[in-house]
Amino acid sequence: MLWIKAFHIIAVITWFAALFYLPRLFVYHAMSKDKISIERFKIMQRKLYRGIMTPSMILAVALGTWMVVDAWEIYQTQVWLHAKLTLIVSLIVYHFYCGHLMQIFKQDKNTRSDIFYRWFNEFPVLILIAIVILVVVKPF
């Protein structure tokens, strides 16, 4: 089970790296005015989302599910875990919303400013902080 946990942590780190970087690309894309930069950001966003972000999410969720199912008798009464799982669901929604925003950029239909995306980029930071506190401190 330690191998599963190790690969789960690796997948989570990779997923979060992409969750931090894709919205930052949205910031720069929203600020871009020239065609070359706009097209470059579209390619970067697509490759990050499809090549790193989504596979990392799938692996992190699959391995996390494996660990929870394997020890369900222990975890079913742990309130901190249920709170963590709720945060993970919100993170998955955020992930797919990033995919939606990427499609808007792809179609050149973005109407939001770089400031919106700067604030949007903070959501996964807050989720990460909450999840780490729940897992390490187990406050309830």
Side-chain angles (χ1 to χ4, degrees), residues 19 28 45 60 119-120 136:
L19 285 168
Y28 300 139
Q45 291 162 4
W119 283 104
F120 179 75
V136 174

Side-chain angles (χ1 to χ4, degrees), residues 69 80 83 87 115:
V69 168
W80 69 268
L87 291 172
I115 295 170

Side-chain angles (χ1 to χ4, degrees), residues 1-11 63 67:
M1 193 52 59
L2 290 178
W3 282 102
I4 302 303
K5 185 184 282 189
F7 284 111
H8 172 70
I9 292 168
I10 292 165
L63 294 172
M67 289 187 297

Side-chain angles (χ1 to χ4, degrees), residues 98-136:
C98 283
H100 170 73
L101 292 172
M102 191 179 70
Q103 291 303 313
I104 290 171
F105 275 111
K106 180 181 177 184
Q107 298 167 7
D108 297 319
K109 293 184 178 179
N110 177 54
T111 58
R112 296 201 166 119
S113 72
D114 61 298
I115 295 170
F116 169 82
Y117 293 110
R118 288 177 197 279
W119 283 104
F120 179 75
N121 195 26
E122 300 307 318
F123 181 76
V125 174
L126 299 174
I127 297 299
L128 176 63
I129 291 167
I131 288 174
V132 169
I133 290 170
L134 286 169
V135 171
V136 174

